[in-house]
Amino acid sequence: MPRLPEEEHPNKAFGWAARDSSGVLSPFKFSRRATGEKDVAFKVLYCGICHSDLHMVKNEWGTSLYPLVPGHEIVGEVTEVGNKVQNFKVGDRVGVGCMVGSCRSCDNCKDNLENYCPKMILTYGAKYYDGTLTYGGYSDTMVADEHFIVRILDNLPLDSAAPLLCAGITVYSPLRYYGLDKPGLHIGVVGLGGLGHVAVKFAKAMGVKVTVISTSPNKKKEALENLGADSFLISRDQDQLQGATGTLDGIIDTVSAQHPVLPLLGLLKSHGKLVLVGAPEKPLELPVFPLLQGRKVVGGNMIGGMKETQEMIDFAAKHNVKPDIEVIDMEYVNTAMERLAKADVKYRFVIDVGKTLKATS
């Protein structure tokens, strides 16, 4: 990609990038665009590590553009605003999630669903309007149009807020859209990882009864005692599944690996909804008869629009919904990626960019 002259890109930046599909990250100097009239620039203090970062640095989805600076769970403090910015000022606590642009004119954008805009621009590894590559939050600074900036309320710790900008909205949005947020409903959460544990916390805060469904019996104590779930099912135990047949109003399925859907459909009541938010690389097998025999629905969901993302952050602050995190130094990021690949984290890594990135430069 041709570089623009230095005077057109005065905002020098520093971060960590992958140069190729080996996925190894190392220090990287680059430039952010000058702060435009509707832009907000901020100092990055924390950035969460999402499982999609791991896929992207290794080009496992075949869409990666290098050099690739990952990170779309970015929080920090505003350092500069453009002269037409209306909602933010220097010193504000802010964040950027999975997207930094959309057409702003299609039906989805008009409905505050920028996440489904055909021209949605990802926070990293995508081409911006000016043809430059977007770089994510494993870096010291961030610049984005104010429309794609989220305000972080003062009572929500910044390090805990970071994973909410992807993991949080990924489970909050389907709970709201599919009507699984009503007190007294009973839902299942499949998978107790980065997404699943936040889904349990949001659902409980909404007054919903929650059953965790997992392949790992050793997660039962964690689910019930630490996360506050009401019950626990081992998905490979046929007796347990049989005993829970037809008990759930809906299921949020967070698993991104190959897994059978049929046992989950059996747990749903008539008119129940199975919502997939994980992204298995290979197609899942979907039996149709269980859908017909109870008017059941299988749906999907991908993050949320900006209005709903702000609503989610505000809800988390009000109800004290905080992901369980392990804060790490920037230099630990490659080890963290290796551990993430083995699901060896409870439940989300967050890089302390503000305090540890300078030390590596």
Side-chain angles (χ1 to χ4, degrees), residues 223-246:
L224 300 179
E225 296 182 13
N226 294 350
L227 298 176
D230 299 281
S231 53
F232 185 88
L233 289 176
I234 300 169
S235 56
R236 294 192 177 111
D237 188 321
Q238 294 307 312
D239 291 339
Q240 287 192 18
L241 294 179
Q242 192 69 34
T245 297

Side-chain angles (χ1 to χ4, degrees), residues 159-180:
D159 53 1
S160 297
L164 293 174
L165 294 169
C166 177
I169 189 61
T170 294
V171 295
Y172 180 92
S173 181
L175 285 168
R176 289 292 196 208
Y177 177 77
Y178 289 96
L180 302 177

Side-chain angles (χ1 to χ4, degrees), residues 16-17 23-26 49 328-340:
W16 280 49
V24 176
L25 292 146
S26 58
I49 298 181
I328 63 168
D329 291 356
M330 190 74 239
E331 287 184 323
Y332 189 76
V333 68
N334 287 306
T335 304
M337 289 286 191
E338 291 171 8
R339 285 180 54 193
L340 183 58

Side-chain angles (χ1 to χ4, degrees), residues 20 51 79 86 93 98 102 174 202 204 226 237 254 291 304:
D20 53 48
H51 211 283
T79 55
Q86 297 181 335
R93 305 161 89 244
C98 300
S102 70
F202 270 122
K204 291 302 299 179
N226 294 350
D237 188 321
T254 71
L291 302 181

